[in-house]
Amino acid sequence: MKNTTLIAALCTATAPAGPAFTETVLRLDEVAIGELDPAKASDYADSILMFNVYDTLVLPAQGGPGHTPHLAASWEVDGAKYTFNLRDDVMFQSGNKLTAADVVYSVERMQALGSGLSYLFAGVTAEAVDDTTVTLTLETPYAPFIASLVRLPIIDMELVKANSDSEWGEEFLTANGAGTGAYSVMSHNPQEETVMVKSDSYFLDVADVAPDTVHLRYGLEPATVRTLIAQGEHDIASQWLPPEVIQALANDGAQLLTESGTGGYYIKMNTQKPPLDNVNCRLALNAAFDYSTAIQMIAINDDVSGGSPSTGAIPVGMFGANPADMALAQDLDAAKAYLADCPYDPAEMNIEISWIAEVPLEERFALLIQSNFSALGISSSITKLPWALFVEQVSKVESTPHISQLFVNAVTGDPDTLLYGMYDSSAPGTWQSPEHLNDAEVDAALDAGRTATSDADREAAYSALNARLMAIAPTIYGFDRQSVFAASNRVHVPALSDPAMAFGLDGMGFSFRLMEMTGE
């Protein structure tokens, strides 16, 4: 029997107090849809939900590299065995106390569902030593394991089991939160809006100026966002607005918030579908792409841009990246030479270029790509795909378009979580991997990057990976990414405006407990 009394109590306990103060409301938007189940979270909107409703054992350090304790007060490493000592003052939003059993349950649930970023925890054995001590033992060495823990939200096992007939409570967690986070879920419609309120049971101090209620809206049109911000009815626009809309909002007085990316804009080619099953055809398209025009298309003003020139498969600043002075550039002569070695006749090609309906900027890039291909005598067609349909189509080689456009980030801040999900042959058919690549050298380099025990060895592994990916060209690396958000002056976001407060993890800057409602 489901514990509806407990749910009602949870909502009552976390609701804002009465008329003693003026409630502050933060309103922002992201592309649809919002996945609330933390074991299934993988994209940006999901991450915002996860980072606020749930907590993790560690957090990225602000303003620099490394990680700091969070739910774990400390940890020790002995080879492949990690021992975490949990804080003893943490309560779930339900009122249940956090214990090591909840950590074990969260790991095993992630593994059982096999969704989202579950591959990060394959081969991990979790064991509760006592109520406040848990060990995580790796089957094989994994160099960035501590970084991966920022994607292991800890779930209230008792609440889930009390409200579900199944072991893992998928139906319950699709619509309800079960975390220790600073914000609890009041309502959730994955196509329209999630409403969250500040929790009064959070184990860390949350300033009074942090928003009391948050409305995360999904799939708003750019014109709607601009109007709502102008009318004082919206606070932070998503990163997916066209550059000129962001520029117009800035000209109207909006502030520009930025998040330095650990990813980029990728033009992904289906390597299993003719004519892109041939490396010379793919190399021709790589050389034909107009990289400099793409950069111009994302500039907001002279000081702020949505990206910087790409130098290869790995963003500048990460292990294995080429230096910034090796920016990629269009080379039509090289493109024509590669095309001459392609066994397919350009005159008979018709390349399907897709773009995500919720990201209107991609339509413009699709037109740029089409123009670049036309310079080689290659015909193409452009297809608009809603995100949900895109995810369904790329699960199979035959329904995956020739060309897919994606913005992909390292979901833990480490290159492994940028590149493994895209290119390892064990992980095809996800939204990250419409290339459907199967290359033994790529797999070997990815494995070396995961298991290397020193930074020097990891650098060597990812340098080899970078070189191999550029040689076989499964992807056109458009630019390294920086997210830009237009925001009203009613909100102050240090993590997105002050480098000393920034997290090295995409989406973490949207920790609502660290925001300030200014009242302006």
Side-chain angles (χ1 to χ4, degrees):
M1 180 175 178
K2 293 182 171 57
N3 192 345
T4 53
T5 302
L6 181 56
I7 297 300
L10 172 60
C11 293
T12 302
T14 56
F21 65 91
T22 301
E23 179 189 60
T24 57
V25 180
L26 172 71
R27 293 150 299 192
L28 66 160
D29 68 283
E30 255 297 331
V31 298
I33 58 174
E35 175 57 70
L36 190 55
D37 187 329
K40 299 178 181 179
S42 63
D43 65 16
Y44 205 88
D46 305 346
S47 298
I48 292 176
L49 292 171
M50 193 196 82
F51 292 148
N52 286 285
V53 177
Y54 294 89
D55 286 305
T56 52
L57 296 174
V58 303
L59 285 182
Q62 286 185 266
H67 294 81
T68 60
H70 195 47
L71 292 181
S74 63
W75 66 86
E76 300 171 357
V77 182
D78 181 8
K81 183 177 181 180
Y82 295 72
T83 300
F84 296 88
N85 303 302
L86 304 181
R87 295 179 63 121
D88 62 2
D89 60 347
V90 180
M91 306 295 291
F92 285 102
Q93 294 158 358
S94 66
N96 295 328
K97 187 176 177 63
L98 169 73
T99 71
D102 296 300
V103 178
V104 173
Y105 177 78
S106 300
V107 173
E108 293 179 346
R109 183 177 188 272
M110 184 80 80
Q111 293 169 335
L113 296 187
S115 301
L117 303 173
S118 60
Y119 66 85
L120 293 171
F121 306 100
V124 175
T125 300
E127 181 180 357
V129 178
D130 55 40
D131 281 351
T132 59
T133 309
V134 62
T135 61
L136 302 178
T137 305
L138 281 57
E139 188 176 87
T140 57
Y142 181 54
F145 182 63
I146 290 297
S148 73
L149 294 175
V150 300
R151 305 303 305 207
L152 178 65
I154 306 306
I155 295 170
D156 186 341
M157 177 180 66
E158 183 178 340
L159 178 67
V160 173
K161 290 189 174 182
N163 288 276
S164 178
D165 297 326
S166 66
E167 174 71 12
W168 307 117
E170 289 182 75
E171 182 178 356
F172 176 73
L173 288 176
T174 294
N176 300 277
T180 61
Y183 286 79
S184 59
V185 177
M186 291 298 291
S187 64
H188 175 65
N189 181 328
Q191 300 290 345
E192 295 182 6
E193 179 183 67
T194 304
V195 180
M196 291 159 277
V197 296
K198 190 189 297 182
S199 173
D200 60 4
S201 63
Y202 197 55
F203 65 96
L204 298 177
D205 291 335
V206 178
D208 291 340
V209 293
D212 298 307
T213 302
V214 178
H215 292 254
L216 178 57
R217 298 153 161 172
Y218 305 116
L220 297 183
E221 294 292 332
T224 301
V225 173
R226 183 177 180 183
T227 299
L228 289 173
I229 288 182
Q231 294 175 344
E233 297 176 0
H234 201 67
D235 297 296
I236 307 178
S238 82
Q239 59 192 296
W240 312 113
L241 289 180
E244 73 274 8
V245 176
I246 300 177
Q247 185 177 48
L249 286 167
N251 291 340
D252 291 339
Q255 59 176 314
L256 296 180
L257 306 174
T258 60
E259 185 175 60
S260 295
T262 52
Y265 163 65
Y266 301 100
I267 302 168
K268 293 168 166 283
M269 295 184 274
N270 185 344
T271 65
Q272 305 300 312
K273 179 182 287 188
L276 301 185
D277 58 343
N278 178 267
V279 64
N280 286 304
C281 296
R282 299 195 301 269
L283 286 166
L285 301 188
N286 263 272
F289 183 67
D290 190 345
Y291 297 88
S292 61
T293 295
I295 289 290
Q296 294 171 15
M297 290 168 63
I298 56 172
I300 307 302
N301 54 39
D302 291 341
D303 301 316
V304 179
S305 176
S308 57
S310 170
T311 65
I314 300 177
V316 173
M318 301 184 86
F319 284 129
N322 292 323
D325 61 3
M326 291 181 62
L328 300 177
Q330 184 184 51
D331 187 339
L332 288 177
D333 289 338
K336 292 173 183 176
Y338 284 125
L339 198 59
D341 291 330
C342 174
Y344 299 100
D345 183 353
E348 296 180 1
M349 296 182 189
N350 185 21
I351 305 296
E352 181 186 5
I353 304 168
S354 68
W355 65 279
I356 304 301
E358 292 85 356
V359 188
L361 179 62
E362 288 189 4
E363 182 179 19
R364 302 177 190 193
F365 284 131
L367 292 169
L368 174 64
I369 296 166
Q370 186 176 57
S371 175
N372 296 159
F373 292 178
S374 178
L376 298 180
I378 297 174
S379 298
S380 59
S381 58
I382 296 175
T383 302
K384 175 182 177 181
L385 292 176
W387 176 254
L389 179 58
F390 168 78
V391 172
E392 178 184 339
Q393 286 197 0
V394 299
S395 65
K396 299 178 181 179
V397 168
E398 58 271 18
S399 56
T400 299
H402 288 105
I403 299 288
S404 303
Q405 300 178 69
L406 287 171
F407 293 90
V408 187
N409 299 309
V411 294
T412 67
D414 189 273
D416 177 74
T417 51
L418 174 69
L419 301 162
Y420 192 90
M422 285 204 277
Y423 296 124
D424 191 81
S425 61
S426 68
T430 72
W431 68 267
Q432 294 175 303
S433 57
E435 293 94 341
H436 298 279
L437 186 66
N438 188 344
D439 184 85
E441 289 186 41
V442 167
D443 288 354
L446 286 167
D447 287 340
R450 294 185 130 199
T451 58
T453 56
S454 71
D455 286 354
D457 288 343
R458 296 196 80 206
E459 174 70 27
Y462 285 113
S463 292
L465 175 64
N466 197 358
R468 179 60 178 171
L469 288 172
M470 295 306 293
I472 62 175
T475 308
I476 300 171
Y477 302 98
F479 51 80
D480 294 351
R481 191 141 187 279
Q482 173 175 263
S483 301
V484 181
F485 310 87
S488 76
N489 293 308
R490 293 180 297 275
V491 60
H492 177 51
V493 190
L496 298 177
S497 57
D498 180 357
M501 300 295 289
F503 294 98
L505 179 64
D506 295 283
M508 184 64 76
F510 280 89
S511 296
F512 305 136
R513 65 183 175 87
L514 302 177
M515 296 186 180
E516 303 168 6
M517 303 306 294
T518 65
E520 296 181 7

